[in-house]
Amino acid sequence: QVQLVESGGGLVQPGGSLRLSCAASGSIFSMDGMGWYRQAPGKERELVASIQRFGSTNYADSVKGRFTISRDNAKNTVYLQMNSLKPEDTAVYYCHMVTISSTNYWGKGTLVTVSS
């Protein structure tokens, strides 16, 4: 079994920054892609950013140039640096991991609120 634990969410003013972390633990044998999704109230969950095992990244258009995803394979951890935050970034952010056998794992989520 794999556990994903997110941290770093909170309340921030527009224009501010936050850094989310997600640590994976448990039976990690073939971790491949990791990423972040978010779900705002009344909306569907959407991909924010993802990073593959060897470093290639993908971003939602709405966060390009503001968010940066990175990972530390030795620590089984993925990060999301969020800069220039906007009220529309307010959501619960979920960590996601997929193995090379296409098994998906999710964290429980961390709330990010952007408000003055």
Side-chain angles (χ1 to χ4, degrees):
Q1 194 63 276
V2 173
Q3 296 82 40
L4 301 177
V5 179
E6 302 105 333
S7 60
L11 173 64
V12 63
Q13 292 186 342
S17 297
L18 281 176
R19 188 192 194 209
L20 304 183
S21 300
C22 172
S25 62
S27 303
I28 302 171
F29 301 111
S30 56
M31 189 168 63
D32 192 4
M34 296 188 77
W36 293 91
Y37 285 70
R38 68 186 180 187
Q39 188 166 17
K43 295 187 177 181
E44 294 186 354
R45 190 173 298 188
E46 62 176 359
L47 173 68
V48 177
S50 63
I51 184 167
Q52 302 309 306
R53 183 168 42 166
F54 297 111
S56 61
T57 59
N58 182 47
Y59 294 93
D61 287 343
S62 59
V63 307
K64 284 181 180 177
R66 301 188 297 122
F67 291 10
T68 302
I69 190 170
S70 60
R71 65 189 285 175
D72 185 334
N73 289 333
K75 296 182 179 180
N76 296 323
T77 300
V78 64
Y79 306 95
L80 186 68
Q81 178 66 44
M82 305 186 293
N83 299 328
S84 302
L85 282 160
K86 304 176 181 180
E88 51 263 44
D89 295 318
T90 295
V92 177
Y93 284 70
Y94 296 91
C95 180
H96 171 257
M97 187 188 83
V98 60
T99 68
I100 60 174
S101 59
S102 300
T103 301
N104 291 277
Y105 296 96
W106 293 91
K108 293 183 178 180
T110 184
L111 178 62
V112 172
T113 303
V114 185
S115 176
S116 55

